[in-house]
Amino acid sequence: MDLLLIKEGFPLLSFLIFLPLAGAVVLLFFHGEGFARLWALLITSLTAVCSIPLLTGFDPTSAKYQFAEAYSWIPRFHINYIVGMDGISILLVLLTTFIMPFCVLASWKYIQKRVTPFMFCLLIMETSMVGVFVALDFVLFYIFWEFMLIPMYLLIAIWGGPRKVYASIKFFLYTLAGSVLLLVAIIALYLKSGSFFIPEMMWQPYSLTFQVLVFLAFFLAFAIKVPMFPFHTWLPAAHVEAPTAGSVILASVLLKMGTYGLLRFCLPITPDATMLLAQPILWLSIAGIIYGGFTALAQQDMKKLIAYSSVGHMGFVTLGIFVLNTRGVEGAILQMINHGVTTGALFLCVGMIYERTHSRELAMATGVGKYMPWFVTFLAFFSLSSFGFPGTNSFIGEFLVLAGAFEHNTILALAAIPGAVLAAAYMLRMLQKIVWGGTNNPDQSYLTDLGVREIVVLAPFLLFVFWIGLGPQPFVDLIHGSVSHLLEQFNNWQQHQQVAVALWR
Amino acid sequence: MTSSFIHPSLFLIAGALLLPFIRGPLRKPYLFLAPMLALGAVVLNAAHSGVFGVVNFLDWQLVLGRVDKLSTVFALIMGLMAVIGTLYGLHIDRAGEHMAAWFYAAGSLGAIYSGDYLSLFLFWEMMAFGSVFLIWFRRGPQSLRVGYRYLLIHTIGGIILLAGILLRYQAVGNITFDLMDVAHPELYTWLIMIGFGLNAAMVPLHSWLPEAYSEASFNGAVFLCAFTTKTAVYTLARACAGMDVLVVLGVIMALYGVIYAVMENDVRKLLAWSIVSQVGYMVAGIGIGTDMAINGAVAHAVVHILYKSLLFMGTGSVLYMTGKTKFTELGGLYAKMPATFFFTMIGCLSISAAPCFAAYASKSMIITAGFEQHLNWASWLLMFGATGTFMYNGLKLPYFLFFGKNNCSPETWTKAGDPSWNMLIAMTLGATLCILVGTAPGFLYAMLPYAVDYTPHTTYHLMETLQLLGFAALAFVLLKKYVEPVDRICLDLDWLYRKAGCGFLWLIKHPLQWCDTAWGEAYRVVGLSSLMTLSRFWSWFDWHAIDGVVDGIARSVRGLGDKVRVLQSGQIQITLYYAFSLTAVLLVAFIFFQLL
């Protein structure tokens, strides 16, 4: 418990977790469409605003879990309600709370049927997403983890595209299959350590076999979520069929849960297994980067292209995590945020085009630059950010990851470079087709440029693209404390293991 | 920067940048104000002497304000020129022309005040790029090409200069802009001299000048004639004073200019050749290198700016009013443009070193210095050149332009007239200064870098000048038929490098372009298509292989479920049958394994 910095007074984290839920409950009673939109916008904005004290009250130098709250829940099974936040999760929580209002705004005109249930689903999702990032009790974590499957399934299955049934069920079953083994691993850990409190399970001397098995169980669940090659095939289907807000949440937040899990659980709880299996996982990440690049290059559907680009980007994140040095891990966390911002924005852009042309085919959206100048300006900047153009946020993240990878193994880093080149290829190809096209573009004169609402939605993303890109120090400062603490403990563990091995001889 | 030194280029650059935002009635006062402020800054700076404006840049110390007599006198005349030139073009609406002119002037002033080669180079390039616009703004059919040739050659000159600067830095270890060791010239000495010399239109690097200056806009030429060449003269005086080869080159320039000017048909091209010739005097003076010679070169530079700008203003007025510049299309204009004729005549007399007119005070200083150094051949040749100068500039130009046969077409004749007030005032100022300097050169002599013990108002000098002018006039009258302008192109050394340029272009357009096209095709056909094929393969793999496995598992599970579903019928007996059978199988297997 000394790892927790208990928050006195107002339980901010619980408030942030349950406010959207309370808002959702209100929607059960008041069904009006207009009211639902406004209410959802109000609740999500309120959550976003109330998450700012997290930033101001955060102490970057402390490695403890801050804003912590601990209540007894099911004492019989040592299940408690413990939540807390450290440097690794603060940016993710803020990303979640700030993206939600924009998802509501993006769905303003997009969703015309059954608006109230849609907003209800969004709010429930926000609850579970915030909960996942701050839960410090494994059962609590698992509940929140599974909790967002059903609203996401509904989002795709009810408001999705032509193949929504296929996509939603695939997403649901795939993710659930992974999480089932996660539950087994959780229970195994409980049996070993006696409680579900996560920090107490970390850095324990479990046997290597146990560690490997637990690691593999974790890895499967998280790798499917990330998504790592070759467990990624649910992503293109889900992204393509989901509505805009669903795609944005999926890309920006849900994928980060996987990498968050890898960082938060795999490394501290099963350090030996991590060290043992890091190499294959690194090469798997490289495969993901390059594979994502190639497949994205072959796409004609804009959303599928961005979905495969997510596979590539998350490959960079896992690469950064498993090189296990400061630069790599910091780069990975920063890249998580960057990907959330950039890919979320790209999906919003594609959604705006879809609202106008009612097609996701690149061929239908060719040459819109002449008629939608604001739109293509935003799209151009987000595309540049997507392939890590210097000055944009992704450059910082990718650079740090590559620097960490070079420190670890030069060949590995060199293998990642073609992925970056491919990213530029597919992104610029998409940009060229959308903005300028060729000599036989379809007649796009009926298109209207972005309205005020849409510009308001996209502008903050652009702000963060350049803020993180040109002045990343504040963001890095936030995460540095926790990352260095984590890696310090990891180094201690390694030394401890070496001492143990020496003693055993 | 110490508060006692104000860099005049700041006013001009800031003025240029702000100019587009100043519109309407504020524009003319603003146009007058900015160069006045620059001139004021120069005047204030003249009171100080020393090194100011030292800026640390990387490894070097840049000196932006080196004030001594040499730089002060040049800065003063350049500042004055900026004022007169802007006044001359006050009525021009397009802000770009003024901006270009001011950047040009700012570059010149910066080069004059700079104490190190790096800042010199920066201002040198600023001059080149500012001045090219003055040619492009003429917007004639040839202007674009001429401007490009001008820019190309000045860039080449800049590169040669830069090469010299860098080699010198490597050899000497600093970038201080001072007198080089001209007695023992190294490669870098030559390169720097050539770099400066190109701007000074030294033969054989002179061809850009007549072409560019005749093609410049009517007011742009007023700026052009003053800044580039005289800044080059300043830099030569600073760095290469006493370099013997300059004497030879200067004399060649002086005579070369005379020959081509005599043949020339275009009025302003004639004046441009005259610049080559007069700058030849200055270069020769610098080459001689004694105190008097340098004084003479500087004095000649100052007066040359005054009268040449006056001449360009006069002929520029003709161009502005009539649109024509060729003798064969003009003539007899004194009746319609009397004031222009008057001022042009003063300019012509000034350049001819007529007594009491501008060059009277300076040209002879150089020639006298030559005689004192026993460079008799140089001085005699320069005097011969002076005769020629009077002939083409003092006689041919006014006669065939304002008198002589009237070749004007009716519309030219109608359009001819004296120009607007600002142009006339500018010309008045120029003319006044020309006469003032010629009659009472004392105030000019006081500004010269070395002490002056020369006076132009001697009887001998007067007699010599009158003899010169008299016999030149006689020669003109007798040979008028041969001097009459004919509309023709005079080939010059630039024919060589224009042909070389065409050859280079052919080389680029045919062999090199073929290579590039071939490579591009290879990239497109081989590289790009293999990339896309590979991408499409991986996309296929994703759907058919990976998803084949995943969806295949799902399909198999569903298929299995389909099969197992059969077991589920509504009839209890079938269900019981299967239940009991399964139990029996399990029981048997259990007992079997227990026994084993």
Side-chain angles (χ1 to χ4, degrees), chain B residues 178-475:
Chain B
D178 256 323
L179 187 63
M180 296 193 286
D181 188 4
V182 294
H184 312 100
E186 302 284 330
L187 175 63
Y188 60 81
T189 327
W190 292 115
L191 287 175
I192 292 179
M193 187 210 81
I194 291 172
F196 290 149
L198 189 140
N199 269 40
M202 289 200 308
V203 177
L205 300 167
H206 65 284
S207 305
W208 58 270
L209 199 150
E211 185 188 43
Y213 287 18
S214 60
E215 193 57 35
S217 58
F218 80 95
N219 66 322
V222 175
F223 281 95
L224 279 170
C225 73
F227 289 99
T228 305
T229 38
K230 306 318 166 298
T231 312
V233 166
Y234 162 78
T235 51
L236 280 170
R238 178 70 74 185
C240 305
M243 207 166 180
D244 292 323
V245 72
L246 289 178
V247 181
V248 179
L249 284 172
V251 171
I252 292 176
M253 280 166 79
L255 297 175
Y256 199 94
V258 168
I259 297 169
Y260 272 89
V262 169
M263 291 197 290
E264 192 50 58
N265 183 32
D266 184 309
V267 179
R268 300 192 327 147
K269 212 168 204 177
L270 182 152
L271 290 174
W273 279 117
S274 148
I275 296 181
V276 175
S277 175
Q278 297 304 310
V279 173
Y281 281 86
M282 300 173 217
V283 169
I286 293 171
I288 297 172
T290 56
D291 286 0
M292 190 191 304
I294 304 281
N295 276 351
V298 174
H300 198 57
V302 173
V303 305
H304 176 84
I305 290 178
L306 287 173
Y307 61 64
K308 196 41 65 70
S309 58
L310 180 60
L311 282 168
F312 267 103
M313 282 197 272
T315 49
S317 306
V318 173
L319 168 62
Y320 181 66
M321 297 306 287
T322 63
K324 302 275 185 232
T325 53
K326 295 200 175 153
F327 284 120
T328 46
E329 290 167 356
L330 295 164
L333 286 173
Y334 83 94
K336 293 221 77 186
M337 303 175 74
T340 313
F341 161 66
F342 176 67
F343 291 123
T344 313
M345 201 59 224
I346 293 183
C348 296
L349 289 170
S350 302
I351 193 175
S352 318
C356 298
F357 288 93
Y360 189 64
S362 58
K363 203 181 283 190
S364 45
M365 216 194 275
I366 301 174
I367 296 175
T368 315
F371 280 124
E372 281 189 5
Q373 287 299 104
H374 306 293
L375 289 165
N376 297 344
W377 63 273
S379 292
W380 281 117
L381 284 172
L382 288 177
M383 278 180 75
F384 177 65
T387 321
T389 305
F390 179 58
M391 227 182 75
Y392 70 78
N393 214 332
L395 293 170
K396 169 176 168 178
L397 189 141
Y399 181 76
F400 287 110
L401 184 59
F402 293 107
F403 298 94
K405 184 153 161 275
N406 189 332
N407 296 317
C408 295
S409 69
E411 47 193 12
T412 311
W413 189 250
T414 340
K415 281 197 268 188
D418 274 323
S420 46
W421 62 272
N422 57 308
M423 294 161 81
L424 287 171
I425 292 183
M427 287 197 276
T428 317
L429 273 172
T432 316
L433 284 168
C434 280
I435 298 177
L436 210 59
V437 164
T439 42
F443 73 92
L444 172 61
Y445 286 178
M447 293 194 282
L448 291 178
Y450 302 104
V452 179
D453 62 354
Y454 173 85
T455 171
H457 297 296
T458 59
T459 325
Y460 173 73
H461 189 210
L462 185 64
M463 287 290 115
E464 180 189 66
T465 311
L466 287 175
Q467 275 179 2
L468 258 167
L469 299 183
F471 280 106
L474 184 64

Side-chain angles (χ1 to χ4, degrees), chain B residues 99-182:
Chain B
M99 287 166 76
W102 285 357
F103 267 108
Y104 182 37
S108 167
L109 284 165
I112 290 170
Y113 272 129
S114 74
D116 70 286
Y117 274 111
L118 209 58
S119 53
L120 173 73
F121 182 72
L122 172 72
F123 287 114
W124 203 253
E125 293 301 304
M126 195 189 288
M127 275 206 296
F129 281 90
S131 53
V132 72
F133 283 95
L134 297 173
I135 301 169
W136 280 334
F137 277 128
R138 167 88 177 266
R139 294 179 172 225
Q142 289 288 349
S143 304
L144 208 57
R145 287 193 206 165
V146 171
Y148 270 118
R149 280 197 282 265
Y150 175 88
L151 193 59
L152 270 173
I153 200 151
H154 276 270
T155 314
I156 292 173
I159 292 173
I160 295 175
L161 177 63
L162 187 62
I165 293 173
L166 292 173
L167 282 173
R168 183 182 171 279
Y169 176 63
Q170 206 180 39
V172 173
N174 62 47
I175 51 169
T176 331
F177 178 36
D178 256 323
L179 187 63
M180 296 193 286
D181 188 4
V182 294

